[in-house]
Amino acid sequence: MKLKHFWNRGFTLIALILGLWLVVDLVSHLVAEIFWFEEVGYLTAFLLRLKTQFILGAIAFLLTATFLLGNLTLAARLKYSSIDSGASLILPNQKTLNPSPPWQEKFQEAVIPKNGVTWRWLLPIVMLLSLILGLMLLYYGQIILGFWHNNINVTAITSTVPSVFKLSSILEQVQDLKSKLPVITTWSQLLLQVGQLLLLVGIILAIASNHQFVLIAIALSLSLFYTLVLSSNWSKFLLYFQPTAFNTIDPLFKNDISFYIFSLPVWELLDFWLRGLFIFALIAVALNYLLSGNSLSEGKFIGFSQQQLRHLYCISCLLMFEMAFHHWLARYQLLYSTRGVTYGASYTDVEVQLRVETALIFLSSAIALLFLWQRLFLSLDKKVIKPITISLGLFIVLAFTGNLLLPRVVQLLIVQPNEISREKPYIERSIAMTRKAFALDNIEVETFNPDNRLNDSDIQQNRLTIDNIRLWDTLPLLKTNQQLQQIRPYYQFIDADIDRYTLKVAQDNLTNNAQNQTANPNSKNQQVLIAPRELNYDSVPTEAKTWINKHLIYTHGYGFTISPVNTVGAGGLPDYFVKDIGTGITDAGTLKTSGENIENSIPIGKPRIYYGEIANTYVMTSTKTKELDYPSGDENVYNIYDGNGGVKIGAWWQQLLFAEYLKDWQMLLTWNFTPETKLLFRRNIIERIQAIAPFLRFDSDPYLVVADANPDKEQDNYLYWIVDAYTTSDRYPYSDPGKYDFNYIRNSVKVVIDAYNGSVNFYIADSQDPIINSWISIFPDLFKPLNTMPVTLKSHIRYPVDLFSTQSERLLTYHMTDTQVFYNREDQWRIPNEIYGDKPRAVEPYYLIMKLPTAESEEFVLLLPFTPIQRNNLIAWMAARSDGQNYGKLLLYQFPKQELIYGPEQIEARINQDPVISQQISLWNRQGSRALQGNLLVIPIEQSLLYVEPLYLEAEQNSLPTLVRAIVVYENRIVMAETLEKALQAIFQPPKSTTPAIIRPVE
């Protein structure tokens, strides 16, 4: 007894310690998050999100636990009791020396066969019900794993409501889990399948051995599961209560699109919740009754009592009403059907499936009412039982034939023989709704008819375009930066971004610039590549990876490079405008510029990067240990952070709090902290903005901007990150998502992050988007109008490549608006290929400074050419505008179909077939180096097309790419020269013949 008492007290003590630890961990996490959101200025938004999650979680847990445990408690009262071991169960006709109370005898009136259910049927029924519960838990387990495997990648944020529990969805979840787990060998798949099988067997055996305890444990687990699911979908509930009308109705049910975007996901969550709730309750209660009274050991179940039947009828009534609700929602799911020739409800869906779903609604409701009647007026008369049996049988037959058999027969015998006539109105719907959802209906379509009259005068008149033709690609520039500008191993250039800057013109170029740019002859727009020099702690030597170095010394990157896209420096290297880190007395810590005009045009200051794309460590600043600022020759220069970022941790309790939050207990042991010490965490800019606004989808390419956006600030830092953010949905009716997990997208927000202070601002870029307007109603302090963005930053916003690529991919098919042409796919387009390096790949969208055919001056545009699906000639090109009032406008220029316009693949073939060019490339490839072909640019100038491709030379070892040639193609002329200017001169200024004329006398 003493030993048992000791173990009980020990178990209680351990439980208390674990509970206290969990509470401390939860509270520390919550308080640390509050401090962080207070630092970034969005505490109100976080508290609203937290309150919503708490309310949803509390409602889900309380209602689920109350309903399930209440039914299990009632079942425990109504179940058959057992007598001492070895005795038989008390049957209705038996007398006992210890008779049960009258109320229990009433409950124990058996109502199904007098002989009961024998072992032959009882065991399979119990195993089947237990198996369904096991599969249900396995299915929900896959959903939980989906939460854990879900990362914050900007291309996979759209959350989908889990499907309701049904046997067919189990296999889908298992396959999805396999795809997420790293497959090393076939043994891993086998192990996964064996583990799932053992889990099912374990659940069945546990229920058979101690069903009451196991069912209560499952009920509590389900309560926690639904708490997690509903609270994690907090954004859907907030949008549900703050909808914004789209002012567009779906063509089938005549609802505003807002119903499908804001309301339908919540109704589906409710459907998911109630389905699992009622199925588990029904099975758990039935198992409680079937396993009561030692039925398994006795080998017989005597039958359900009247009160037990009333209980089962009540739950069955709720389940059938839920089925009716499910089929009501299934009608709207037809708008996302993939059965027909295009996306959305097709002929078969509307004429057959919709009617089946409607019939199932009424049939489910009728069955539910019959169960309710039986619950209120229990009768064992066959005249009452028979309608229930018939209705259930009819429901099963209709559900099977209506969902599987009948639609296939109609599709095969009625639709396919006359598919175009049957599907025409539905094809029209899909085309119209897809174009609207992806904003393709806003594209201005023009005809571009090349006249091939480009001459030297046109070249000079379009000098700004010529001077901004991109010869340097991102990849060779980054390789060169790693060799020439990395300076130290722990610095890294992970990306280079295209942007444009307004540069003041040097005096010796002032006259020429005045001739070519009369708007402002003192400055010119220059397209550049900007690459930030970030600190990558993973590259620090292993011997130097100490706690102090990681969190106190290696705190930030320093500087950037800027180089024009069109010029070449000595030896074929980039012609940097900004580079290096100054080490002299007068320029210590500043970046070197190529001239006074660059220094006056681009603010440099002290370009420290505390927040960036690879800033994945948390750091402590204002400590007794100075931070590494930048290298200076053989030594280092150190600095103390004086920015506004970070959470103060000078007090001991703050250090204790964040030591627990970060699980870094060395914070409590170090002597380096001061009362002014601050903790900077979530320094990765994507993680930072994702934490603030997890309901937005973020672009995959943040870009750095150098601008004097805050003249009043004290710090000498001018670096900002701009990230495009999108509102997306997968619920736009009839909109074909293609290969994406969304079928509606808008670039609604521009996010600006201060690279030094870490401040974050969200600017509304598309005020017409209903989704972002709903979020503005929910979080009014989170967003700012775009016109409040500093002008120096606003001049650098650009049409995002991710959005443009998405729209381009959808346009390949959905530029066809004629149903007959669409059905036959007569005019399908594709994105052409190019030779990059020495391998083919799809052409990527590229930025240009050019004058559009319908524009009056040059502007910054994003461009992509298209070719027909089975041919290589150009069919069209699309441009997205990025400047001023024209920002966001899309233009599509289509070529006449009767004319042959060379496409990128044909130009690449002509380049590689040219004997002079191919011979030179072969020569370079034989001398310990290799020639790499860069991006082939198709450049519209006036009413003509110019093709430009750079050629790089790279050593096989110690790669340092150099730009050695520029290849220009115009009509049937191909020129390869050392510079773009020489190539253009060779085409448009051919040397005049100096051979004297031969004069013959006339006879």
Side-chain angles (χ1 to χ4, degrees), residues 695 764 766-767 769-784:
F695 47 84
I764 301 300
D766 185 358
S767 59
D769 173 38
I771 297 180
I772 200 60
N773 282 317
S774 288
W775 284 120
I776 293 173
S777 301
I778 296 167
F779 300 120
D781 298 329
L782 182 60
F783 301 100
K784 299 178 181 180

Side-chain angles (χ1 to χ4, degrees), residues 750-972:
K750 302 285 185 180
V751 189
V752 177
I753 306 103
D754 189 321
Y756 186 69
N757 295 297
S759 59
V760 180
N761 289 288
F762 296 83
Y763 297 97
I764 301 300
D766 185 358
S767 59
Q768 303 301 315
D769 173 38
I771 297 180
I772 200 60
N773 282 317
S774 288
W775 284 120
I776 293 173
S777 301
I778 296 167
F779 300 120
D781 298 329
L782 182 60
F783 301 100
K784 299 178 181 180
L786 187 62
N787 57 19
T788 63
M789 178 186 287
V791 176
T792 51
L793 287 175
K794 195 174 180 180
S795 63
H796 290 279
I797 64 174
R798 64 187 192 184
Y799 201 91
V801 174
D802 282 1
L803 176 61
F804 189 76
S805 298
T806 300
Q807 293 174 308
S808 299
E809 191 277 334
R810 292 289 73 207
L811 187 68
L812 300 178
T813 300
Y814 286 92
H815 69 277
M816 296 180 286
T817 55
D818 182 270
T819 53
Q820 183 72 49
V821 174
F822 184 93
Y823 177 79
N824 294 329
R825 296 296 197 271
E826 296 177 17
D827 194 22
Q828 185 85 15
W829 293 351
R830 68 180 178 90
I831 295 174
N833 290 323
E834 64 175 353
I835 302 296
Y836 191 84
D838 54 2
K839 297 179 181 179
R841 75 172 190 183
V843 173
E844 297 177 351
Y846 49 92
Y847 290 101
L848 287 174
I849 291 181
M850 60 168 287
K851 186 171 70 174
L852 294 168
T854 56
E856 296 180 357
S857 61
E858 288 82 359
E859 57 186 297
F860 193 59
V861 301
L862 184 60
L863 189 143
L864 184 66
F866 303 110
T867 59
I869 191 71
Q870 294 180 340
R871 290 177 294 163
N872 295 330
N873 58 287
L874 276 184
I875 192 68
W877 57 277
M878 185 166 71
R881 309 173 80 171
S882 296
D883 289 343
Q885 298 298 320
N886 291 322
Y887 175 83
K889 293 182 180 180
L890 296 175
L891 299 106
L892 179 66
Y893 292 91
Q894 294 182 316
F895 297 104
K897 290 184 172 62
Q898 67 274 12
E899 291 189 27
L900 175 63
I901 311 297
Y902 289 127
E905 287 148 310
Q906 294 169 324
I907 295 297
E908 293 281 20
R910 294 188 61 197
I911 290 174
N912 290 307
Q913 290 170 4
D914 184 273
V916 176
I917 296 177
S918 62
Q919 182 181 7
Q920 182 61 62
I921 291 177
S922 300
L923 181 62
W924 278 326
N925 286 333
R926 290 199 301 265
Q927 296 179 352
S929 59
R930 56 175 182 165
L932 303 176
Q933 295 176 243
N935 291 133
L936 176 64
L937 305 182
V938 182
I939 303 168
I941 299 179
E942 299 296 337
Q943 286 298 122
S944 301
L945 293 179
L946 195 67
Y947 304 85
V948 177
E949 181 177 82
L951 193 63
Y952 308 99
L953 190 61
E954 180 182 44
E956 294 181 354
Q957 297 181 355
N958 299 321
S959 173
L960 182 64
T962 56
L963 179 61
V964 292
R965 294 292 186 271
I967 303 173
V968 177
V969 181
Y970 176 69
E971 289 190 297
N972 293 320

Side-chain angles (χ1 to χ4, degrees), residues 317 320-321 363-375:
C317 170
M320 292 313 297
F321 272 130
L363 189 54
S364 302
S365 301
I367 297 173
L369 292 174
L370 287 174
F371 279 130
L372 179 62
W373 178 270
Q374 278 293 84
R375 167 62 184 85

Side-chain angles (χ1 to χ4, degrees), residues 210-228:
N210 192 355
H211 66 277
Q212 195 161 352
F213 173 79
V214 173
L215 292 176
I216 290 175
I218 295 176
L220 291 174
S221 300
L222 286 178
S223 301
L224 292 173
F225 168 75
Y226 287 122
T227 298
L228 175 63

Side-chain angles (χ1 to χ4, degrees), residues 121-133:
W121 290 102
L122 178 61
L123 184 60
I125 291 174
V126 170
M127 290 185 65
L128 178 61
L129 294 177
S130 302
L131 178 64
I132 294 175
L133 280 188

